[in-house]
Amino acid sequence: MASEADLRARLQRASQEHLLRFCAELAPEPRAALLAQLEALEPEALRQHCQRAAAACARRPGPPPDLAARLQPLPLERVGSASEGDPQTRRLWEEEGFHQIALNKVAVLLLAGGQGTRLGVTYPKGMYQVGLPSQKTLYQLQAERIRRVEQLAGERYGTRCTVPWYIMTSEFTLEPTAKFFKEHDFFHLDPNNVIMFEQRMLPAVSFDGRAILERKDKVAMAPDGNGGLYSALEDHQILEDMERRGVEFVHVYCVDNILVRLADPLFIGFCVLRGADCGAKVVEKAYPEEPVGVVCQVDGVPQVVEYSEISPEVAQLRAPGGGLLYNAGNICNHFFTRDFLRTVTRELEPLLQPHVAVKKVPCVDEHGNPVKPLQPNGIKMEKFVFDVLPFAKSVQKLSLFLPPPPSCGSSEAQQAGKNFMAFQVLREEEFSPLKNADSADRDNPSTSRRALLAQHCRWALRAGARFLDVHGAQLPEQLSLPGSAEPPAICEISPLVSYAGEGLEKYLRGREFRPPLILDEAMARELRP
């Protein structure tokens, strides 16, 4: 370990020597911990990080003055749909996705570096229960969807297949996540196929460009955003692990979407057959001011523009059909080829520009007393996973609503070059994020729970189930519900029984149920003809 004098000299070069101002007061163990943390901070990188954070925070917020003139919606040839267009084409996409899964070429990668602070809990968000009848956590729901999609692909192709689950954690979430998985026997997945790795941490910075001390013996650190994925892939040789397993396609998603379809065969197949190096699922924006980023083009290059960067006038613009012109809402759900990720990690990651997040950062005052600020006092610099979209540039445009000719299979399409595609999905089927506590109006445990139960009620009704009230009268068959409405019947279907509503007729058609209906594997065995 470097001496205190050497570290002080390094910190002086970075203009951050204040980080040692309480060092002489510390006992040997916390002193050694502080020195070890400081030794890991390269002086020039620390200096640049703090300067960049302060300069970025000082810039005027809001949309760049010339952005409106540079914006364009995605061209139709770059957008596919999970619900519109030719059903036969969608079947081809889905079959291709199952084929790639059966060949062990598909992995899923979970972005799980954040804590559940806004939910009012101190543990990782994936461990949260939203109040389902089964009491399943987000992690369990996701694990069971992996098991089911493996089963479906294996049955179609008469093989055993594996979808490896890579989980990017942070300093805050790695230990509790690993412990939780062990306590739950990895939800009956092979532990060798659940690979956890840790993203980098960056110092939080004050508005005047000084790294913040969280305690006398600790620099305040924060994960480098979900875009820290790309440096973490390189740090932990994750792409090498994927290569050893034969993985070619990676489905990346955020932990907090209760409706997420892991390794979605339809999405995977669409991207593969369209030769996409990079893909994004999108949902139609609910209203112009909805606080979600928009997938669009800037200067002809695909990217996500944050809602705060789009002026109200631009957000209100309408397309000829009457819908919003910029309606492709980003839901942090992406497809990447392993080759594309390798290019990003080895060549392009340094080009990613960090984003500013102004936060309340616990710190110490000038006397070393702990402070929990009531107002934002610091800057956390983050990169976003979607920052790589501009690196995917289409050089060949393919019709999305016709199947490729026999001479244009997936291997040929992949040779089309850097190519971005968007895939529009139905919000009620695939997107209900869990961001806030129930005290908030939206994106809370109640809205997440309702979204899943309403989806499962729709699946059951479409499969021919009938629900009865306490008096034996049939409940109304409501297939469409307002977002805030409770479903007509409480119905939860295990992902181990149905991944996306498939195969339920044999259990439910013509049967009557008094809610709640909890269709798990045991009940499915009882109901099977």
Side-chain angles (χ1 to χ4, degrees), residues 80-87 89-90 93 284 400-401 423-424 426:
S81 172
S83 58
E84 298 178 1
D86 176 26
T89 300
R90 292 200 299 276
W93 293 340
E284 186 174 352
L400 299 187
F401 301 105
F423 194 61
Q424 190 162 50
L426 296 175

Side-chain angles (χ1 to χ4, degrees), residues 6 9 18 31 46 63 68 99 118 203 228 244 290 300 313 319 331 338 359 380 385 456 468 489:
D6 289 340
H18 66 281
R31 181 175 175 276
L46 177 62
H99 186 216
R118 284 164 61 186
R244 285 192 295 271
E290 184 180 11
E313 294 78 17
I331 61 172
R338 179 171 51 81
K359 302 282 188 178
K380 296 181 180 180
V385 68
H456 290 187
L468 308 178

